Amino acid sequence: MARPSATSVGIIFNRKAHRNLRHAQASPEVARALDWAFPHTEQDLREALARFADRGIDVLAVDGGDGTIRDVLSIAPAYFRDRLPRVAIVPSGKTNALALDLGIPITWSLADALGAIPLGHVKQRSPLEVRHAAAATPHLRGFLFGAGAFVQATEIAQDVHGLGGFRGVAVGLSLAAAIAQTVFGKADNRWRRGLNVGVTLEDGVRVERPFYLILGSTLKRLPLGLRPFGHERAGLKVLGVDAPPRHLLATLPALLAGSEAQWLQRFGYHRCTTSSIRLRFDADFVLDGETYPGGDVVLTRGGPIDFVVP
């Protein structure tokens, strides 16, 4: 199998990834042919990316899940100023939503990713960038943002992961548990109360009210074939659901199947495709599985990145 040159590929390994390539560090083949790092801390990651940038790598490979990719893409632009190199993913995380969207098999190994590089097959995706309104540049780059009930659902998903459920299993069980908590919980429980959010759209329209959930993503496809944003398309898609959600059991199947029927909006389901949206809320949000403090944040569609695909 053809191999890229010794200086053209840099690899970030996540030691804690669910399906980690734990033998890679000891592999003489990897040690000879590639520049790689097993960062323990953010500073370790920064030093590795700075080294890769100084060496002018052509491909940045990431062995990890969505969270590892988020961490790498959030930091890498500080070192690869003009344009990121191509990114190759080895999906070894718990959910691997980006890999699924790109059509990368969950069984793809490091050898598969390296073997695909000379073939030149790529797909472009733009990350979702998150910045504080007062900041000039984004501090996070990922692909799936959620606030409100999505934060509680992510907590459930982490518990499912702890019990050994991953990928579609975790998504399905978390969704079922969230629906049960919402439908059968008391009227004043935290699921039904919602989160008060001030929303400013890019055309200047402002809305402030309780939302059950706000979801944003630049992915085209989500796990389990869920289509909460409607038909498959590029761009930054946003879904807002009023709190408390109305007729959830009756409306949810249509929503998740991608229906764009007008009656969904009458029941409090709001969708838009945008390049930017500003959200103000006093609670945490989730980006690719990790929780961060909210406040006054701006979500934007970032520049396109070339991802190596089969």
Side-chain angles (χ1 to χ4, degrees), residues 7 34 112 201 206 212 270:
T7 59
L34 306 166
D112 294 327
L201 302 176
R206 297 183 180 183
Y212 169 69
H270 312 284

Side-chain angles (χ1 to χ4, degrees), residues 94 157 160-161 164-176 223-224:
K94 299 182 180 70
V160 173
H161 293 154
F166 300 101
R167 296 185 285 277
V169 173
V171 173
L173 291 177
S174 303
L175 179 60
L224 297 182

Side-chain angles (χ1 to χ4, degrees), residues 74-232:
S74 295
I75 295 173
Y79 303 99
F80 298 91
R81 302 275 179 190
D82 298 329
R83 184 176 177 83
L84 289 179
R86 288 173 290 164
V87 178
I89 296 172
V90 180
S92 56
K94 299 182 180 70
T95 306
N96 306 298
L98 176 58
L100 182 152
D101 183 41
L102 292 170
I104 295 174
I106 194 62
T107 56
W108 229 33
S109 66
L110 176 60
D112 294 327
L114 296 178
I117 292 171
L119 301 179
H121 299 158
V122 299
K123 287 184 180 179
Q124 286 192 337
R125 291 293 184 272
S126 296
L128 184 162
E129 297 184 338
V130 183
R131 67 175 174 85
H132 295 297
T137 58
H139 65 288
L140 292 169
R141 293 175 177 85
F143 290 89
L144 185 60
F145 170 96
F150 189 79
V151 176
Q152 287 99 268
T154 300
E155 293 171 0
I156 295 174
Q158 298 297 343
D159 292 339
V160 173
H161 293 154
L163 295 173
F166 300 101
R167 296 185 285 277
V169 173
V171 173
L173 291 177
S174 303
L175 179 60
I179 293 170
Q181 291 278 2
T182 304
V183 174
F184 302 112
K186 294 181 179 180
D188 63 345
N189 77 359
R190 63 173 183 161
W191 293 84
R192 297 182 62 80
R193 277 198 309 270
L195 173 67
N196 195 60
V197 183
V199 180
T200 303
L201 302 176
E202 62 180 339
D203 60 4
V205 173
R206 297 183 180 183
V207 175
E208 183 168 355
R209 61 169 173 267
F211 282 91
Y212 169 69
L213 173 147
I214 290 183
L215 195 65
S217 183
T218 52
L219 298 176
K220 291 184 178 180
R221 296 187 300 158
L222 295 179
L224 297 182
L226 302 179
R227 299 170 63 187
F229 304 109
H231 66 271
E232 183 179 309

Side-chain angles (χ1 to χ4, degrees), residues 221-255:
R221 296 187 300 158
L222 295 179
L224 297 182
L226 302 179
R227 299 170 63 187
F229 304 109
H231 66 271
E232 183 179 309
R233 62 193 185 280
L236 170 55
K237 287 84 61 180
V238 180
L239 166 70
V241 180
D242 291 346
R246 299 164 58 191
H247 307 292
L248 187 62
L249 289 178
T251 56
L252 195 62
L255 177 77

Side-chain angles (χ1 to χ4, degrees), residues 34-57:
L34 306 166
D35 190 354
W36 46 268
F38 282 79
H40 287 276
T41 65
E42 179 181 319
Q43 184 58 35
D44 291 341
L45 177 58
R46 289 184 176 278
E47 290 174 359
L49 291 172
R51 183 176 77 246
F52 295 166
D54 287 343
R55 294 183 178 182
I57 63 169

